[in-house]
């Protein structure tokens, strides 16, 4: 079986000039997340669906969603962008699904 897996997901930018990945974003910034999907063999070509959901931590409301289908082969990355967001705490979840399996992870960030 050639199941793909979510190798990593990370916020793509270092907000406000380099204070590290946990630094707050500005309310004028767009926020990007990169999903890195890997297959067992570089020659595999596995259909996948990647879903990204952005939520406000204060009330749990969804503030953005994105979904893409494609084929994972070796190591592939997809970038998703949303925002700008009003000040507050947010969570972004990244889910990768194939016909065989699914996996996901979440990241938190703040906007000032």
């Amino acid at each position: 079986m050639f199941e793909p897996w979510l190798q990593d997901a990370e916020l793509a930018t270092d907000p406000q000039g380099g204070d590290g990945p946990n630094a707050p974003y500005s309310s004028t910034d767009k926020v990007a997340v990169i999903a890195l999907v890997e297959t067992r063999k570089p020659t595999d070509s596995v259909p996948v669906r990647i879903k990204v959901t952005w939520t406000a931590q204060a009330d749990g409301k969804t503030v953005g969603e994105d979904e893409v289908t494609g084929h994972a082969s070796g190591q592939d990355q997809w970038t998703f962008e949303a925002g700008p967001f009003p000040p507050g705490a947010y969570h972004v979840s990244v889910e990768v699904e194939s016909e065989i399996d699914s996996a996901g992870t979440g990241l938190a960030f703040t906007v000032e």
Side-chain angles (χ1 to χ4, degrees):
M1 293 190 173
F2 307 118
E3 70 272 5
W5 66 89
L6 180 64
Q7 183 184 19
D8 192 20
E10 59 186 34
L11 295 173
T13 58
D14 193 2
Q16 299 185 5
D19 290 332
N22 295 322
Y25 287 85
S26 163
S27 61
T28 60
D29 290 339
K30 287 197 173 244
V31 181
V33 64
I34 298 173
L36 181 61
V37 179
E38 188 170 341
T39 60
R40 188 173 311 246
K41 297 178 185 175
T43 57
D44 294 345
S45 181
V46 182
V48 294
R49 182 175 74 98
I50 303 170
K51 183 177 180 183
V52 177
T53 306
W54 308 79
T55 56
Q57 289 187 0
D59 58 11
K61 289 186 179 179
T62 299
V63 294
E65 287 183 301
D66 203 353
E67 186 174 311
V68 66
T69 57
H71 283 77
S73 180
Q75 286 189 341
D76 294 308
Q77 71 179 29
W78 283 267
T79 302
F80 300 89
E81 189 175 75
F85 299 108
Y90 295 89
H91 182 265
V92 56
S93 68
V94 180
E95 298 175 39
V96 176
E97 296 179 357
S98 70
E99 295 176 352
I100 299 168
D101 202 2
S102 66
T105 191
L107 301 164
F109 64 96
T110 57
V111 175
E112 292 185 341

